[in-house]
């Protein structure tokens, strides 16, 4: 368990507020506030004021610590599962979108200092800050506090490990697997690139199966938009027999002139 209260003298109101906010997130008071201030400083702010101090180094450290602790938790939580399942389960828990959602739910995003114009979408900024926060905990309190924070404040309260581990998330991989199995022509096309009100890019993709549009996706990264489009395509394949018929009809039309390979070499006069 965390120590509930440490003896701290806080001369400034802003620091008192920060200590209070961090306590509600961490479950303990920091001994050294400086690593936490750095963890909450987005690189856009350091670039704006040319201070050069931001949370990227702590993010690197926290990412490694988070990965190790989640791997240990998943290993013991699924004692009969093989390496492939364990690797995928860990990846689902620590992926950037999941961390961004967690950062928002625990109130971390509102504490981040950043230059709003031109910054990455909050899902990435929040996820990066959460990893940096774990790095700050390690610097301030050590590895055992990181373990307790991740287990008690994240996994126990905010994540259903079984639900996340068994959730199908790599829709693009599943769609590629289906197309290869059925020898169907699969294509991803970028059809647009927009900007939101903070100038962040938004990508639009559609997925075609045998030239027939099967799904549309819009996201803050190309990968995200392709995943959304793939999910829509898989749902169409599962729920619409007429669409599957049209796909295989188009495939038959495409391959009707294909000939079996000739074993002998052609003769030239």
């Amino acid at each position: 368990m965390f120590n509930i209260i440490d003896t701290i003298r806080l001369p400034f109101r802003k620091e008192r507020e920060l200590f209070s906010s961090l306590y509600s997130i961490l479950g303990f008071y920091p001994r050294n506030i400086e690593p936490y201030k750095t963890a909450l400083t987005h690189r856009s702010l350091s670039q704006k004021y040319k201070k050069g101090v931001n949370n990227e180094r702590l993010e690197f450290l926290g990412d490694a610590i988070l990965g190790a602790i989640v791997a240990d938790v998943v290993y013991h939580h699924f004692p009969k599962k093989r390496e492939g399942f364990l690797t995928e389960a860990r990846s689902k828990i620590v992926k950037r979108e999941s961390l961004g959602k967690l950062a928002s739910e625990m109130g971390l995003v509102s504490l981040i200092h950043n230059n709003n114009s031109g910054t990455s979408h909050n899902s990435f900024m929040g996820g990066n800050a959460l990893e940096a926060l774990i790095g700050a905990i390690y610097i301030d309190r050590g590895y055992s506090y990181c373990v307790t924070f991740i287990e008690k404040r994240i996994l126990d309260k905010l994540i259903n490990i079984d639900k996340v581990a068994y959730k199908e998330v790599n829709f693009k991989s599943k769609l590629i697997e289906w197309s290869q199995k059925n020898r169907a022509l699969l294509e991803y096309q970028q059809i647009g690139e927009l900007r939101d009100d903070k100038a962040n890019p938004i990508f639009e993709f559609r997925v075609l199966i045998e030239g027939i549009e099967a799904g549309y996706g819009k996201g803050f990264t190309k990968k995200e938009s392709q995943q959304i489009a793939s999910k829509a395509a898989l749902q169409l394949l599962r729920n619409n027999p007429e669409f599957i018929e049209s796909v295989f009809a188009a495939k038959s039309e495409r391959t009707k002139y294909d000939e079996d390979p000739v074993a002998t070499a052609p003769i030239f006069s």
Side-chain angles (χ1 to χ4, degrees):
M1 290 292 294
F2 292 127
N3 294 329
I4 300 301
I5 298 178
D6 292 335
T7 302
I8 302 172
R9 294 182 178 180
L10 304 174
F12 302 110
R13 179 180 175 182
K14 285 188 176 181
E15 288 212 344
R16 288 200 301 270
E17 293 175 351
L18 178 58
F19 268 85
S20 177
S21 297
L22 286 173
Y23 175 78
S24 67
I25 294 172
L26 302 173
F28 63 90
Y29 287 108
R31 287 177 176 169
N32 179 7
I33 195 63
E34 294 306 318
Y36 300 94
K37 289 182 178 179
T38 302
L40 296 172
T41 302
H42 188 262
R43 67 184 180 193
S44 63
L45 195 70
S46 66
Q47 291 169 352
K48 180 179 180 180
Y49 296 106
K50 298 181 180 180
K51 294 179 180 180
V53 177
N54 59 61
N55 62 9
E56 288 182 327
R57 282 172 54 83
L58 283 173
E59 177 193 337
F60 162 79
L61 180 61
D63 175 57
I65 295 169
L66 176 64
I69 294 172
V70 170
D72 180 70
V73 170
V74 169
Y75 177 84
H76 289 94
H77 189 80
F78 301 103
K80 296 182 180 180
K81 293 297 184 180
R82 296 189 177 184
E83 182 268 342
F85 176 90
L86 300 178
T87 298
E88 188 172 354
R90 179 186 60 184
S91 297
K92 290 175 183 177
I93 293 173
V94 303
K95 70 174 183 171
R96 190 67 68 233
E97 293 85 355
S98 298
L99 296 181
K101 183 180 179 181
L102 292 175
S104 178
E105 289 178 359
M106 63 175 53
L108 183 62
V109 172
S110 63
L111 299 179
I112 301 172
H113 301 289
N114 70 93
N115 173 22
N116 286 326
S117 61
T119 60
S120 58
H121 186 245
N122 275 350
S123 63
F124 300 101
M125 186 171 66
N128 294 342
L130 179 54
E131 289 181 337
L133 182 70
I134 293 169
I137 295 171
Y138 178 78
I139 295 296
D140 179 42
R141 292 284 195 161
Y143 187 78
S144 63
Y145 268 72
C146 293
V147 172
T148 307
F149 171 71
I150 291 170
E151 290 184 349
K152 302 301 182 183
R153 291 277 165 167
I154 296 179
L155 298 180
D156 284 358
K157 287 191 174 183
L158 301 175
I159 291 180
N160 183 320
I161 295 179
D162 292 287
K163 183 177 179 180
V164 172
Y166 287 104
K167 183 180 179 180
E168 183 59 67
V169 294
N170 197 343
F171 301 108
K172 183 178 179 180
S173 176
K174 288 296 180 183
L175 185 59
I176 291 174
E177 181 182 336
W178 182 91
S179 67
Q180 291 175 343
K181 181 179 179 180
N182 292 279
R183 298 183 180 180
L185 187 64
L186 179 67
E187 183 181 3
Y188 289 86
Q189 291 182 348
Q190 182 175 342
I191 58 176
E193 182 175 339
L194 311 173
R195 296 278 172 175
D196 67 5
D197 56 358
K198 293 184 180 179
N200 297 311
I202 300 174
F203 300 95
E204 293 181 295
F205 270 83
R206 67 176 180 177
V207 58
L208 306 175
I209 304 176
E210 291 295 342
I212 305 172
E213 184 168 345
Y216 165 83
K218 181 169 67 174
F220 288 95
T221 66
K222 292 181 179 180
K223 180 179 178 181
E224 180 185 6
S225 59
Q226 289 176 1
Q227 284 284 354
I228 295 171
S230 299
K231 181 179 180 180
L234 287 171
Q235 290 174 336
L236 192 61
L237 287 169
R238 290 169 181 169
N239 301 323
N240 193 330
E242 292 180 358
F243 174 75
I244 296 178
E245 290 179 4
S246 65
V247 165
F248 283 105
K251 176 188 173 184
S252 296
E253 182 68 21
R254 174 176 62 84
T255 59
K256 69 180 180 180
Y257 295 113
D258 292 353
E259 297 179 353
D260 293 332
V262 179
T264 58
I267 299 174
F268 295 93
S269 57

